[in-house]
């Protein structure tokens, strides 16, 4: 049974920014679960459908084939929820941080599924889900972070706290990236180059190292989730 918000196929397509034809195509390929049939056999879609659809679109933007996307989705739990799907999408989108999309305020609100006040936009900007441009009604949107950012809007967190939290995350993520890069450079890349590989082998090594990035990002996210759970389990001081 579809819990929470419900959309027709046209409404879901509009919310996700795809065509109805694309949505139905994903359904025929088994990438999107069938809708719940209501009165007069109207198909109703829920938040999990939207989350899965947005993840599929993000995987396609990364260049994955439909077969590869099918394999990726097959590894997800059968009962995966909207939040976990959004986290997966944010993780996938982080493989190419330059993938921000330009959108009008109306388009951002359509993707968010709600009207956004100026304070909401400030909060989303503080979280890095969107960035302001020279036009006050046009934004650069991070498609991976926006769904998560919209969920956080309902939590009463002061704007100053969001800015401080983002600064902490950026500080430590940069330090971690610097240390990992130095470790890989000194123990893998430099010794390999000094071994005198052929140009073709050198290029192949570069391609292989590029493939490591998604695995490193996923490992960092998993480690952070575990550390955060441990911290939250500690008694308050």
């Amino acid at each position: 049974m579809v819990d929470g918000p419900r959309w027709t196929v046209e409404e879901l397509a509009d919310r996700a920014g795809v065509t109805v034809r694309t949505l139905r195509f994903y359904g025929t390929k088994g990438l999107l679960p069938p809708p719940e049939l209501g009165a007069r056999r109207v198909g109703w879609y829920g938040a999990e459908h939207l989350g899965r659809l947005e993840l599929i679109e993000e995987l396609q933007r990364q260049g994955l084939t439909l077969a590869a996307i099918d394999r990726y989705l097959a590894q997800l739990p059968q009962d995966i929820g909207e939040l976990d799907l959004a986290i997966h999408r944010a993780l996938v989108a982080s493989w190419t941080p330059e993938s921000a999309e330009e959108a009008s305020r109306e388009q951002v609100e359509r993707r968010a599924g709600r009207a956004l006040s100026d304070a909401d936009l400030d909060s989303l900007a503080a979280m890095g889900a969107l960035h302001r441009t020279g036009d006050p009604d046009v934004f650069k949107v991070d498609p991976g972070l926006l769904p998560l950012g919209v969920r956080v809007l309902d939590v009463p967190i002061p704007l100053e706290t969001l800015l401080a939290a983002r600064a902490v995350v950026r500080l430590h993520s940069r330090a971690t990236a610097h240390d990992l890069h130095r470790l890989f450079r000194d123990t893998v890349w430099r010794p390999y180059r000094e071994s005198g590989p052929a140009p073709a082998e050198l290029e192949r090594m570069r391609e292989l190292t590029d493939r490591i990035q998604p695995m490193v990002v996923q490992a960092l996210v998993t480690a952070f989730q575990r550390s955060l759970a441990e911290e939250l389990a500690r008694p308050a001081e």
Side-chain angles (χ1 to χ4, degrees):
M1 181 176 181
V2 175
D3 297 321
R6 302 196 309 168
W7 303 289
T8 64
V9 63
E10 292 82 7
E11 292 169 338
L12 177 63
D14 183 63
R15 176 76 185 272
V18 301
T19 65
V20 171
R21 181 178 180 182
T22 296
L23 196 155
R24 294 192 190 281
F25 175 73
Y26 291 153
T28 60
K29 291 295 183 181
L31 301 178
L32 200 65
E36 177 186 321
L37 293 180
R40 299 189 298 275
R41 297 189 62 79
V42 174
W44 292 104
Y45 296 83
E48 286 74 20
H49 289 97
L50 176 62
R52 186 173 289 259
L53 179 58
E54 290 177 332
L55 177 57
I56 292 170
E57 286 291 295
E58 187 59 51
L59 290 167
Q60 280 214 310
R61 271 192 288 269
Q62 299 293 332
L64 271 68
T65 64
L66 290 180
I69 292 174
D70 186 42
R71 290 193 296 270
Y72 185 100
L73 296 177
Q75 297 175 6
L76 301 180
Q78 291 293 324
D79 58 348
I80 189 169
E82 174 195 6
L83 177 58
D84 286 331
L85 285 167
I87 291 174
H88 271 272
R89 186 184 178 194
L91 176 61
V92 171
S94 71
W95 300 352
T96 54
E98 67 279 3
S99 61
E101 303 171 352
E102 191 170 280
S104 67
R105 183 168 183 159
E106 180 182 357
Q107 290 172 322
V108 174
E109 290 182 336
R110 187 181 302 123
R111 296 293 293 272
R114 57 191 284 182
L116 298 171
S117 66
D118 291 341
D120 290 335
L121 294 172
D122 287 340
S123 295
L124 291 172
M127 287 182 272
L130 58 79
H131 305 274
R132 297 186 182 277
T133 66
D135 186 331
D137 288 323
V138 176
F139 306 88
K140 287 285 188 179
V141 179
D142 186 316
L145 286 180
L146 183 61
L148 291 173
V150 171
R151 290 179 65 96
V152 175
L153 291 178
D154 294 324
V155 183
I157 302 177
L159 180 61
E160 295 77 10
T161 302
L162 291 174
L163 290 169
R166 186 182 179 194
V168 169
V169 170
R170 288 175 65 87
L171 174 65
H172 291 283
S173 61
R174 283 177 176 173
T176 301
H178 174 76
D179 290 342
L180 287 173
H181 177 263
R182 182 176 58 185
L183 176 65
F184 186 84
R185 179 194 63 200
D186 294 344
T187 63
V188 178
W189 187 246
R190 183 176 294 165
Y192 182 79
R193 292 193 64 176
E194 291 175 351
S195 68
E201 286 298 313
L202 191 62
E203 183 60 29
R204 180 172 177 272
M205 182 63 169
R206 287 196 180 95
E207 293 176 357
L208 291 175
T209 54
D210 288 342
R211 298 179 190 177
I212 295 175
Q213 182 179 347
M215 292 185 290
V216 172
V217 172
Q218 194 162 16
L220 288 173
V221 171
T222 300
F224 177 75
Q225 287 177 324
R226 290 175 179 171
S227 298
L228 183 60
E230 292 171 359
E231 287 295 320
L232 293 176
R234 292 174 58 183
E237 297 180 356

